Amino acid sequence: MIMARRLTAFLFSMFFAAAVHAADNSPVPHLDIGKGGQCVEPDHTLMRKTHMNLLKHQRDETMRKGIRGQKYSLAECVECHAGQKTNSVLGSNEAFCQGCHAYAAVKLDCFECHANKRKVTAEASK
Ligand code: HEC
Ligand code: HEC
Ligand code: HEC
């Protein structure tokens, strides 16, 4: 009897913890992070805040100075972050780039020109 009550109390506390967590607006949406491995920067919180600057800087380096194949290449992001099943960073609110941007209400035009799919499948499905 005491055990059952403890269990009930425990389940209740879990429920409230979950409810509070859901009401907090800082957590991120549920994202398919893709292949895994080591991001271009090891600090993911920092990545979340600065990835746009890294990408824009890399783009400027490439467009103005012709520097290619660098660390912050957009194609590299897609290689890792494309969904395991979809092979894409777009297409649903679980897709890595689209999911978080939908959540943050950010719109991107990058993928009108850049590939949103992992190269492996793009080649395999030719
Ligand atoms: C070698 C694989 C790899 C590459 C290349 C890579 N990432 Fe990552 N990235 C990861 C992993 C793994 C995580 C950690 C995901 C997790 O556990 O939440 C991560 C985390 C992130 C996060 C934070 C996600 C969050 O939930 O807060 C962002 C944003 C991000 N990456 C963007 C990029 C961008 C933009 C590029 C290209 C410039 C890139 N990544 C390149 C593997 C990679
Ligand atoms: C109108 C088409 C177009 C749009 C839209 C566009 N790009 Fe690009 N981008 C290019 C072209 C073309 C290059 C040069 C490719 C090369 O010479 O290697 C390039 C190069 C880059 C590079 C350096 C090369 C690489 O693969 O990393 C980055 C980074 C990049 N773009 C990021 C972005 C981001 C981020 C956005 C969205 C904010 C974006 N681009 C939108 C056409 C576009
Ligand atoms: C965990 C959340 C998250 C993930 C994942 C994420 N982004 Fe972002 N991204 C943001 C937020 C938030 C902003 C807006 C930041 C701001 O306005 O200061 C943003 C902005 C950007 C911008 C600048 C847009 C503009 O018009 O200035 C680019 C480019 C960008 N993200 C590229 C990417 C790419 C490419 C991926 C996938 C590889 C990605 N992001 C994944 C959260 C994320």
Side-chain angles (χ1 to χ4, degrees):
M1 192 57 203
I2 289 171
M3 284 303 286
R5 234 188 246 165
R6 272 203 193 144
L7 182 62
T8 312
F10 174 72
L11 289 175
F12 259 110
S13 66
M14 289 298 285
F15 174 78
F16 283 116
V20 167
H21 190 69
D24 179 352
N25 48 21
S26 60
V28 240
H30 179 69
L31 297 177
D32 181 346
I33 61 152
K35 201 161 84 176
Q38 178 65 65
C39 197
V40 287
E41 292 298 334
D43 183 342
H44 298 150
T45 314
L46 190 71
M47 251 337 257
R48 195 183 296 180
K49 289 188 191 137
T50 60
H51 64 278
M52 53 306 277
N53 305 331
L54 302 179
L55 283 169
K56 285 177 175 171
H57 178 74
Q58 183 68 61
R59 176 179 53 187
D60 294 347
E61 293 280 292
T62 303
M63 303 298 255
R64 297 202 193 114
K65 300 183 201 152
I67 300 170
R68 292 198 174 79
Q70 296 296 296
K71 198 172 168 191
Y72 304 126
S73 152
L74 185 54
E76 291 299 314
C77 320
V78 173
E79 278 306 302
C80 271
H81 284 297
Q84 293 287 51
K85 288 183 193 145
T86 60
N87 285 300
S88 174
V89 292
L90 306 179
S92 82
N93 283 352
E94 290 195 355
F96 190 73
C97 307
Q98 179 175 329
C100 193
H101 291 159
Y103 180 84
V106 178
K107 283 228 159 65
L108 289 191
D109 66 353
C110 318
F111 298 112
E112 283 166 23
C113 298
H114 292 274
N116 66 300
K117 291 215 162 190
R118 190 174 274 135
K119 233 181 275 160
V120 199
T121 22
E123 270 154 29
S125 62
K126 259 182 200 166

